[in-house]
Amino acid sequence: MRIDLHCHSTASDGTDSPAELMRAAGRAGLDVVAITDHDTTAGWTEAAAALPPGLRLVRGAELTCVSEDGRGGHCTVHVLAYLFDPAAEAVVTEYARTRAERRTRLHTMATRMAADGYPVDPHTLLAAIPDDVPAGRPHLAQALVRAGIVGSVTEAFTKLLHGRDGYYVPSDKTAVRDAIAMIKAAGGVTVLAHGFAHRRGPTINAAVVADLVRHGLDGVEIDHPDHDEQSRDELRSLAVKHDLVVTGSSDYHGTNKTIAIGAETTAPAMLDAIAERATGAKILEG
Ligand code: AMP
Ligand code: ZN
Ligand code: FE
Ligand code: FE
């Protein structure tokens, strides 16, 4: 059994449509795939309709959250949410709020770049992003690639869109405890995504993970392309200590990143544990 529980489609910042994502999962020989677009469930229906025979679909999302970092500051935390009711009122309200806020924020970033002479038009950029797609830096990065300013999305991030210069504007994220509570109330399960990916910037520590577990976190993603061996070991001990579900996944983004679908995988027993903890929706069969 090959199981990949963290993949993005064009419903957020991947390059495969939800249907293409299902076909890519099938071609890669996966038995189970999760669609986990950032802060949206907009790809679920198309993905479910495109499931090839034998492939199972876990409907999910990757929620962009903010946490106290245990040192008096804050840091961004991504939470994978699985098998929740997408129509739950708290979920709908929060993600309508963050999607609107992300559009304003991306508009501000593009306006700053235009003011410095970069050929990006904030209005055109936003008009091309559907309302149910969370606007993000990858969209601005693609516009910069199309304008010939950089050669790739990755280069746009390294040179212009990283968090250390004048073009970056932080987004107003969901408090991680609220995210865990709202997903639990909606029947779902939560797993901390790439929790110790230190290369990405400030991450939370073991004490904060313990606090999230007290607030209902179900699991941690251990095998992730951005985790080195030390991070994996540390997370493995935390998982044993707190009796957590552990997952491994590629965080596939199509051609926006270089990682192949299925590059990291989750053990079947862990998928069973997720399905058992979910009180509502079930895994779909193709
Ligand atoms: P945002 O939420 O708008 O701040 O953008 C964050 C998104 O950009 C995340 O979903 C990442 O997948 C993507 N991202 C972050 N860093 C990079 C990078 N160096 N190259 C490509 N994509 C990135
Ligand atoms: Zn992404
Ligand atoms: Fe993430
Ligand atoms: Fe992701």
Side-chain angles (χ1 to χ4, degrees):
M1 273 260 269
R2 296 188 68 230
I3 303 167
D4 188 340
L5 295 181
H6 184 168
C7 297
H8 297 266
S9 78
T10 49
S12 63
D13 59 351
T15 56
D16 289 358
S17 68
E20 285 162 353
L21 178 63
M22 296 305 107
R23 289 193 284 271
R27 277 198 306 274
L30 292 180
D31 300 285
V32 183
V33 67
I35 182 169
T36 55
D37 281 301
H38 297 281
D39 306 317
T40 184
T41 59
W44 286 13
T45 309
E46 183 186 319
L51 264 183
L55 183 66
R56 290 197 292 154
L57 173 65
V58 177
R59 287 159 296 171
E62 182 176 14
L63 309 180
T64 313
C65 303
V66 61
S67 172
E68 283 154 13
D69 64 3
R71 296 175 288 270
H74 290 86
C75 62
T76 299
V77 173
H78 290 181
V79 171
L80 292 161
Y82 297 115
L83 301 171
F84 58 96
D85 174 6
E89 196 182 330
V91 174
V92 171
T93 306
E94 176 60 6
Y95 290 99
R97 180 192 76 78
T98 60
R99 277 198 296 277
E101 195 276 336
R102 291 179 71 85
R103 293 183 79 85
T104 309
R105 171 256 192 169
L106 198 67
H107 192 278
T108 306
M109 289 183 67
T111 304
R112 286 186 187 177
M113 296 196 80
D116 276 356
Y118 287 98
V120 284
D121 175 48
H123 179 79
T124 311
L125 175 70
L126 269 301
I129 307 171
D131 272 336
D132 59 359
V133 171
R137 283 182 288 165
H139 296 104
L140 183 51
Q142 282 156 0
L144 292 166
V145 172
R146 282 195 300 274
I149 300 296
V150 287
S152 68
V153 166
T154 305
E155 190 186 340
F157 270 89
T158 353
K159 292 199 172 154
L160 294 160
L161 304 180
H162 53 80
R164 300 177 301 278
D165 82 358
Y167 299 120
Y168 178 77
V169 175
S171 56
D172 184 9
K173 303 170 181 76
T174 311
V176 64
R177 288 181 186 176
D178 294 349
I180 292 169
M182 89 177 61
I183 293 303
K184 203 155 281 277
V189 176
T190 52
V191 172
L192 177 66
H194 49 74
F196 286 176
H198 306 300
R199 272 181 292 161
R200 286 179 175 230
T203 51
I204 56 176
N205 57 30
V208 178
V209 174
D211 180 66
L212 298 184
V213 173
R214 275 193 296 280
H215 285 85
L217 183 74
D218 295 290
V220 286
E221 185 179 55
I222 292 181
D223 292 315
H224 182 281
D226 288 357
H227 280 162
D228 56 22
E229 278 311 316
Q230 191 189 334
S231 296
R232 294 177 197 219
D233 288 346
E234 287 169 7
L235 281 164
R236 230 169 253 124
S237 340
L238 276 178
V240 170
K241 183 172 169 188
H242 299 296
D243 193 22
L244 297 172
V245 173
V246 303
T247 68
S249 299
S250 65
D251 202 355
Y252 175 72
H253 278 72
T255 57
N256 273 350
K257 285 190 184 169
T258 54
I259 308 293
I261 193 166
E264 308 263 12
T265 53
T266 296
M270 292 297 149
L271 177 66
D272 293 344
I274 289 173
E276 270 164 33
R277 284 170 185 242
T279 55
K282 292 292 163 233
I283 300 170
L284 299 183
E285 305 246 0

